Amino acid sequence: MTGSLPLRVLVADDQYLIRAGLVGLLEVADGFEVVGEATDGAEAVELAARTRPDVILMDIRMPRMDGIAATERILAQTPPPAPRVLILTTFDLDEYVYGALKAGASGFLLKDSGPQRLLAAITAVGSGDALFAPTVTRRLVEAFATRSGGEGAGDTARSGATGLEALTGREIEVLELVGQGLANAEIAWRLFITEGTVKSHLNRTMTKLGLESRAQAVVTAYESGLVVPGRNT
């Protein structure tokens, strides 16, 4: 949020009652402006291009185009600054959610979360902050990343054969610790550097690798083999 300007939010959910409830909550809360309602992913893509929201509440399973495809298309087509995508799901260990995080979504939230949790989550992703403890993302990513061929590739990743060759040694260290679920303050303590330096390394890493979110960085750390389940703890 910039100054006192409200966060502009697009709500995408094919279920009318859920969508209406989300819109109603946002309309009565301070600091938010609903700029559109989408009934499927294709409509979300169209409305995102037209309204340029700060945050998109994106249902994962929708007709015509699901939340994963919509997230990919929106982030690919929108000039900077791209909107932050917050995935809505019914359960956290969901392979669809993993796909959305891989596509660049900033985080996910259970649909049965209370109003205050939802508003806090929208505010967090809209401000560019981590939505929840990184270990939550790690648990989801660890459950699915090895299905994409990341398992056992740790040594290969370190040797630079998985697209990480553009990174400096320190950037690889930071990416590995992000993948392990450490927060910036913990990484700073581990590497004997400042938290601001951690942020700088992570931002440069994300730019070099074309990543849209911290969650996407966690996915990359696993799928490249930089972090291997059960080994990097």
Side-chain angles (χ1 to χ4, degrees):
M1 195 182 306
T2 305
S4 60
L5 294 177
L7 277 175
R8 295 164 49 79
V9 183
L10 170 63
V11 179
D13 197 302
D14 64 314
Q15 294 182 283
Y16 173 77
L17 289 178
I18 292 178
R19 190 174 69 253
L22 292 169
V23 170
L25 173 65
L26 291 167
E27 287 181 337
V28 299
D30 292 331
F32 305 94
E33 176 188 355
V34 178
V35 296
E37 300 178 47
T39 59
D40 57 48
E43 190 174 7
V45 172
E46 178 186 342
L47 286 175
R50 190 191 315 161
T51 64
R52 296 299 305 274
D54 300 308
V55 177
I56 301 174
L57 291 181
M58 183 79 77
D59 186 20
I60 200 71
R61 294 177 174 86
M62 293 183 290
R64 284 213 297 165
M65 182 185 294
D66 64 26
I68 300 175
T71 296
E72 287 180 332
R73 190 163 301 182
I74 288 169
L75 295 179
Q77 295 179 354
T78 306
R84 304 277 180 165
V85 179
L86 178 57
I87 296 296
L88 299 175
T89 183
T90 53
F91 62 103
D92 53 1
L93 282 181
D94 183 345
E95 191 164 8
Y96 280 84
V97 175
Y98 167 72
L101 294 179
K102 182 178 178 181
S106 295
F108 65 93
L109 192 69
L110 296 178
K111 285 188 175 182
D112 60 2
S113 299
Q116 293 306 312
R117 176 70 174 125
L118 174 67
L119 296 177
I122 297 171
T123 300
V125 299
S127 301
D129 295 333
L131 174 57
F132 35 54
T135 50
V136 178
T137 302
R138 176 187 173 176
R139 184 165 62 94
L140 173 74
V141 173
E142 190 168 279
F144 298 107
T146 54
R147 299 184 183 185
S148 299
E151 188 170 13
D155 296 335
T156 301
R158 284 182 170 78
S159 69
T162 56
L164 304 185
E165 63 274 5
L167 305 183
T168 66
R170 182 62 92 187
E171 288 165 354
I172 289 177
E173 288 180 308
V174 170
L175 179 60
E176 180 177 351
L177 294 174
V178 167
Q180 290 180 33
L182 274 65
N184 287 349
E186 297 172 300
I187 296 172
W189 179 84
R190 183 80 65 92
L191 298 179
F192 303 102
I193 57 180
T194 67
E195 193 169 345
T197 301
V198 172
K199 292 179 181 178
S200 295
H201 284 311
L202 182 57
N203 287 339
R204 284 197 295 270
T205 295
M206 292 174 64
T207 298
K208 289 179 180 180
L209 299 181
L211 306 179
E212 299 287 347
S213 69
R214 190 186 186 96
Q216 203 174 21
V218 176
V219 172
T220 298
Y222 273 87
E223 291 201 333
S224 68
L226 192 61
V227 177
V228 178
R231 185 185 304 175
N232 304 74
T233 55

